[in-house]
């Protein structure tokens, strides 16, 4: 008897459970539908795809970025920063150091062919040297602290440990932020002081065709105050320095600028077909990558400049130290400039 009642109870229970749907979710999910009304007829996959591809939902917050749960361009940003930017940046820096080392052993230090003279000639005044060292000193610290942000975790942590690395990086970041302004002042001053000597001329083509005379002894193409190689450095530092400064300011004051949209808009006006519809976060990410690309390029070039301005060439550093250079050095590397200076002191009578 009891068995009969238990049997009826079980049958009724199964019918009841099926009726209220407790057993249905598994079945519904296998059909691609989701129980409840939250997703409507959409599946988890649809929702995930929507969120994962960076779409905005709705939010009570005023910041429109708050409605984006996952900003997918962040993946591209990270992949580029930790991939090509870091890898090719390291190739550039290590590559130029290797090349300069080979150059040093093959060519040796570029000496004054005629030997040092007794006579000296003023090449740079106090204000020129102040501008140069303000720009150079700040750039070196900016470069080192910037490289630390990109490579420090791989290079320094194994050597100094995580705690010291954290302290170095925190102070480095402060130095990076504040010295940026010293660099900008040095850059602007150098531009004002030297731009008139850096206008390209026909003479530069000759200088370049002769490789600047740096590969063979006794070869000295004519040059005025700055030769073609120096003009290239000057313009690269000015244009690159301005660009790195602007992207750096955009990083210091996030989400305030739309420089990429504006620049691409200008380029589109002259025939390009670039996207201009960027969110504030995308602008920020592109600023960061651009800042890295330009500063790594500049750093690579400046390593070569530092080499040639110091150990690479006898007599060069005096120009930025005391401002007075050896007359034979000046005649060999900047013969037309020496003539112009002599002419100022004792003008030749007109023929
Ligand atoms: C830190 C080590 C550096 C040394 C030893 C050094 C040395 C020199 C020297 C000797 C000159 C004068 C060349 C001449 O008389 O013809 C010069 C010029 C110049 N330097 Fe530097 N420099 C250094 C760093 C920098 C940095 C970091 C920058 C820019 C970010 C820079 C930018 C320039 C520019 C634009 C000129 C004028 C064009 C030229 O000579 O190439 N220098 N430097």
């Amino acid at each position: 008897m009891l068995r009969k009642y238990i049997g009826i109870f079980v049958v009724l229970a199964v019918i009841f459970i099926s009726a209220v749907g407790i057993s249905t979710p598994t079945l519904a999910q296998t059909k691609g539908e989701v129980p409840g009304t939250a997703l409507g007829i959409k599946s988890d996959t649809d929702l995930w795809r929507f969120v994962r591809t960076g779409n905005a939902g709705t939010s009570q917050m005023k910041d429109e970025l708050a409605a984006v749960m996952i900003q997918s361009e962040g993946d591209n940003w990270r992949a580029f920063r930790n991939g090509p930017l870091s890898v090719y940046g390291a190739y550039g820096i290590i590559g130029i150091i290797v090349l300069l080392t080979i150059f040093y052993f093959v060519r040796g230090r570029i000496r004054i062919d005629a030997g040092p003279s007794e006579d000296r000639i003023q090449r740079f005044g106090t204000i020129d040297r102040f501008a140069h060292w303000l720009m150079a000193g700040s750039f070196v610290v900016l470069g080192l602290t910037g490289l630390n942000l990109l490579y420090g975790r791989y290079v320094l942590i194994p050597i100094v440990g995580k705690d010291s690395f954290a302290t170095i990086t925190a102070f480095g970041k402060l130095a990076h932020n504040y010295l940026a302004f010293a660099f900008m002042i040095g850059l602007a001053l150098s531009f004002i002081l030297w731009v008139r000597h850096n206008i390209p001329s026909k003479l530069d083509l000759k200088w370049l065709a002769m490789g600047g005379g740096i590969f063979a002894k006794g070869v000295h193409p004519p040059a005025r105050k700055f030769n073609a190689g120096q003009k290239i450095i000057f313009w690269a530092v000015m244009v690159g320095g301005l660009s790195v400064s602007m992207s750096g300011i955009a990083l210091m004051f996030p989400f305030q600028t739309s420089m990429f949209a504006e620049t691409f808009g200008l380029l589109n006006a002259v025939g390009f077909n670039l996207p201009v519809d960027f969110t504030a976060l995308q602008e920020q990410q592109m600023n960061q990558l651009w800042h890295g690309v330009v500063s790594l390029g500049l750093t690579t070039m400046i390593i070569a400049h530092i080499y040639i301005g110091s150990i690479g060439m006898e007599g060069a550093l005096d120009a930025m130290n005391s401002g007075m250079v050896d007359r034979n050095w000046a005649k060999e590397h900047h013969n037309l400039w020496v003539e112009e200076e002599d002419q100022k002191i004792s003008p030749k009578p007109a023929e």
Side-chain angles (χ1 to χ4, degrees):
M1 192 65 183
L2 185 64
R3 278 171 140 205
K4 191 179 165 194
Y5 281 122
I6 291 175
I8 293 168
F9 177 74
V10 169
V11 170
L12 285 174
V14 169
I15 293 168
F16 177 72
I17 289 169
S18 311
V20 295
I22 292 176
S23 66
T24 51
T26 341
L27 195 63
Q29 279 180 343
T30 56
K31 282 185 186 162
E33 285 168 8
V34 175
T37 53
L39 291 172
I41 55 159
K42 291 216 170 80
S43 65
D44 277 344
T45 326
D46 290 333
L47 177 68
W48 174 241
R49 189 178 302 117
F50 181 81
V51 170
R52 191 63 188 77
T53 47
N55 291 296
T58 48
S59 161
Q60 298 284 45
M61 293 169 83
K62 279 187 186 162
D63 180 0
E64 59 179 47
L65 290 174
V68 179
M69 208 182 275
I70 299 179
Q71 197 258 355
S72 296
E73 287 81 6
D75 276 344
N76 303 340
W77 167 79
R78 189 180 46 237
F80 189 82
R81 180 191 185 272
N82 296 347
L85 180 68
S86 301
V87 172
Y88 292 115
Y91 281 172
I93 290 174
I94 296 168
I96 194 76
I97 293 172
V98 170
L99 278 179
L100 291 170
T101 311
I102 295 171
F103 183 73
Y104 179 78
F105 283 110
V106 173
R107 171 70 169 92
R109 194 170 197 217
I110 301 173
R111 299 270 172 201
I112 303 174
D113 284 332
S117 78
E118 301 286 295
D119 200 5
R120 296 180 92 71
I121 173 170
Q122 173 144 33
R123 183 144 170 83
F124 291 113
T126 312
I127 182 80
D128 294 293
R129 284 175 285 137
F130 170 75
H132 178 264
W133 289 122
L134 185 64
M135 176 170 68
S138 53
F139 185 94
V140 169
V141 181
L142 287 168
L144 290 174
T145 50
L147 288 174
N148 180 47
L149 293 179
L150 202 54
Y151 301 112
R153 72 189 59 202
Y154 311 112
V155 177
L156 282 187
I157 290 182
I159 301 170
V160 299
K162 284 187 177 171
D163 288 346
S164 304
F165 174 70
T167 314
I168 293 170
T169 306
F171 281 109
K173 181 74 185 77
L174 279 178
H176 200 87
N177 279 7
Y178 289 106
L179 284 174
F181 295 98
F183 174 73
M184 289 179 225
I185 296 170
L187 187 75
L189 209 50
S190 306
F191 178 78
I192 296 166
L193 290 167
W194 300 337
V195 65
R196 68 195 171 96
H197 299 296
N198 282 287
I199 311 295
S201 76
K202 271 193 185 156
L203 209 61
D204 299 328
L205 296 176
K206 192 169 180 192
W207 190 94
L208 288 171
M210 291 173 73
I214 58 169
F215 297 102
K217 284 185 185 156
V219 179
H220 298 295
R224 293 203 167 79
K225 178 138 182 171
F226 290 126
N227 58 42
Q230 291 177 300
K231 287 180 187 176
I232 290 171
I233 293 194
F234 175 85
W235 287 111
V237 166
M238 292 304 144
V239 176
L242 179 68
S243 191
V244 102
S245 302
M246 288 171 71
S247 50
I249 288 178
L251 291 173
M252 269 185 223
F253 304 101
F255 309 128
Q256 314 280 314
T257 59
S258 51
M259 283 191 285
F260 275 85
E262 284 162 31
T263 312
F264 286 4
L266 282 177
L267 290 173
N268 288 348
V270 293
F272 285 81
N273 188 20
L274 298 164
V276 288
D277 196 15
F278 300 123
T279 63
L281 192 54
Q282 283 175 300
E283 279 278 345
Q284 198 66 8
Q285 286 160 342
M286 289 189 291
N287 264 317
Q288 194 280 339
L289 295 179
W290 182 246
H291 192 77
V293 168
V294 180
S295 48
L296 282 167
L298 274 182
T299 304
T300 304
M301 190 193 68
I302 286 298
I303 292 173
H305 168 78
I306 293 174
Y307 168 79
I308 207 76
S310 57
I311 50 172
M313 182 184 278
E314 182 183 14
L317 194 55
D318 293 337
M320 280 301 169
N321 254 345
S322 62
M324 306 293 289
V325 291
D326 188 284
R327 182 172 273 275
N328 284 348
W329 176 89
K331 278 204 271 194
E332 285 172 14
H333 299 292
H334 302 277
N335 59 336
L336 300 174
W337 169 72
V338 176
E339 283 173 21
E340 282 163 16
E341 291 301 300
D342 288 348
Q343 178 78 1
K344 280 185 204 160
I345 301 165
S346 50
K348 280 187 199 146
E351 288 173 13

